[in-house]
């Protein structure tokens, strides 16, 4: 059985790193970055710079979850408010 987690390399703040995420989270990040008119690398750099703890993959999952949860509840999404 193929793992649902996809590992991809990405450049964050000029440094190449790999991030393992489920395809749904990669797709969510692509949607968010398109909405915010930024590249995936820029979005991941922002998430990385604002995370308080945990690994990058976890921070990305929480960011994507919060974005879509806020949007589902009628909020403007993360792009309309500063990140915590």
């Amino acid at each position: 059985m193929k793992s649902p987690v996809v590992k991809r390399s990405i450049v964050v703040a000029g440094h190449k790193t790999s991030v393992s995420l489920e395809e749904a989270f990669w797709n969510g990040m692509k949607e968010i970055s398109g909405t915010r008119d930024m590249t995936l690398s820029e979005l991941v750099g922002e998430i990385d710079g604002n995370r308080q703890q945990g690994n990058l993959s976890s921070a990305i999952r929480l960011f994507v979850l919060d974005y879509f949860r806020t949007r589902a509840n009628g909020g403007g999404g993360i792009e309309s408010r500063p990140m915590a």
Side-chain angles (χ1 to χ4, degrees):
M1 182 173 162
K2 186 178 176 187
S3 171
V5 176
V6 178
K7 186 174 193 172
R8 296 192 179 150
S9 294
I10 192 163
V11 176
V12 179
H15 301 284
K16 191 173 182 179
T17 188
S18 39
V19 178
S20 297
L21 294 171
E22 294 77 8
E23 192 66 34
F25 286 102
W26 285 114
N27 292 337
M29 289 225 321
K30 288 177 192 173
E31 183 177 333
I32 295 166
S33 66
T35 299
R36 296 177 72 179
D37 195 29
M38 58 194 325
T39 66
L40 274 177
S41 291
E42 291 169 335
L43 181 60
V44 172
E46 184 178 309
I47 294 167
D48 187 40
N50 288 304
R51 69 183 161 124
Q52 302 296 315
Q53 57 190 355
N55 66 44
L56 182 56
S57 294
S58 294
I60 291 170
R61 286 184 186 96
L62 292 172
F63 176 89
V64 172
L65 175 65
D66 185 56
Y67 175 88
F68 287 104
R69 182 183 289 160
T70 299
R71 199 167 85 171
N73 289 328
I78 288 174
E79 72 277 356
S80 66
R81 61 186 170 90
M83 289 182 54

